[in-house]
Amino acid sequence: MMNPMETTNSETAFRKIREDLFVLTRTDAFGRQPSPAVILADGEMILIGLGRTEDFSLLFENMGRILPLDRLTHVVAPGFAEGLVSVRKAFLAAGADPAFVVSTQLDSLMGLSARGFRLKRIGGEPVDLVLRSGRVFTFLPAPFLLSPMAFLTYDVSGKTLFSHYLFEDYPTGDAPEAWSVPILRVKDFLAELLPSADFLRPLVRLLARL
């Protein structure tokens, strides 16, 4: 198994959270930003989240330092993932044919079933995924979080919530002055798009019981 802090790129590294959980972090102008996670389960590798499209080659390379890529059995894509077809091709070329956990809306929009994807679809109710080892993941729909395709991932065995968009934080560093106008536009956009407490409270109460 790799040293999680080894990397071929000085700005990108896997951070070891525990023996079976790694998070790919990337340092940019705002500081360290969390990105996709890898979970190991008795020889299986599960990728949770894809991160930025431009970072995929780094993700791909660093995953191979944890386990051979042919051990990848599942990829969780908790929202709109425009690069999903290219991602699958890259994994197939590396000897992996993972099942993809996606929303039913994403399958319909991108025609993933017709493209030969092996899928675990998330609709309007919580869905469990049971690995060969018996480890269980629960996917909780959260269609009001930025995207109608959004859902949360809960690792039952590891008691770990991958909240994706729900508790997403924002950089605290100073932004370049030239970004001031775009940032104000983003704030206006989020003020219209982010859900109200009426939607969030029931979900948070559900999470509290997990």
Side-chain angles (χ1 to χ4, degrees), residues 49-104:
L50 294 173
R52 310 174 201 182
T53 302
E54 58 267 31
D55 291 340
F56 179 71
S57 60
L58 295 171
L59 169 67
F60 192 84
E61 181 177 352
N62 280 277
M63 284 178 63
R65 290 168 165 256
I66 297 178
L67 279 181
L69 288 173
D70 60 7
R71 301 282 189 90
L72 180 68
T73 60
H74 293 84
V75 174
V76 179
F80 180 62
E82 59 182 345
L84 209 56
V85 174
S86 297
V87 167
R88 178 172 179 263
K89 287 180 179 178
F91 281 132
L92 287 174
D97 185 16
F100 285 77
V101 181
V102 301
S103 70
T104 55

Side-chain angles (χ1 to χ4, degrees), residues 13 24 41 67 79 88 135 147 154 160 178-179 198:
L24 185 73
L67 279 181
R88 178 172 179 263
R135 190 164 185 163
S147 163
Y154 183 60
T160 304
W179 290 15
D198 292 337

Side-chain angles (χ1 to χ4, degrees), residues 177-197:
E177 184 176 349
W179 290 15
S180 58
V181 172
I183 286 175
L184 288 175
R185 290 175 179 168
V186 168
K187 287 182 177 179
D188 290 340
F189 173 73
L190 292 177
E192 294 292 329
L193 192 62
L194 288 179
S196 72

Side-chain angles (χ1 to χ4, degrees), residues 77-81 103 105-106 109 140-152 165-166 189-190 193-195:
F80 180 62
S103 70
Q105 296 97 323
L106 185 63
L109 179 66
L140 305 167
F144 41 80
L145 291 180
L146 295 183
S147 163
M149 306 172 193
F151 57 87
L152 313 183
Y165 303 112
L166 179 59
F189 173 73
L190 292 177
L193 192 62
L194 288 179

Side-chain angles (χ1 to χ4, degrees), residues 18 21 37-39 46-50 74-79 100-103 120 122 126-129 131 135-142 145 149-167 203 206-207 210:
R18 58 175 191 251
L21 174 59
V38 165
I39 287 184
I46 297 88
L47 173 62
I48 299 181
L50 294 173
H74 293 84
V75 174
V76 179
F100 285 77
V101 181
V102 301
S103 70
K120 181 83 171 180
I122 311 303
V127 174
D128 285 345
L129 168 67
L131 302 182
R135 190 164 185 163
V136 179
F137 292 84
T138 298
F139 304 104
L140 305 167
L145 291 180
M149 306 172 193
F151 57 87
L152 313 183
T153 303
Y154 183 60
D155 173 12
V156 178
S157 302
K159 299 187 183 302
T160 304
L161 175 69
F162 299 90
S163 56
H164 308 304
Y165 303 112
L166 179 59
F167 300 120
L203 180 61
L206 172 62
L207 296 177
L210 293 177

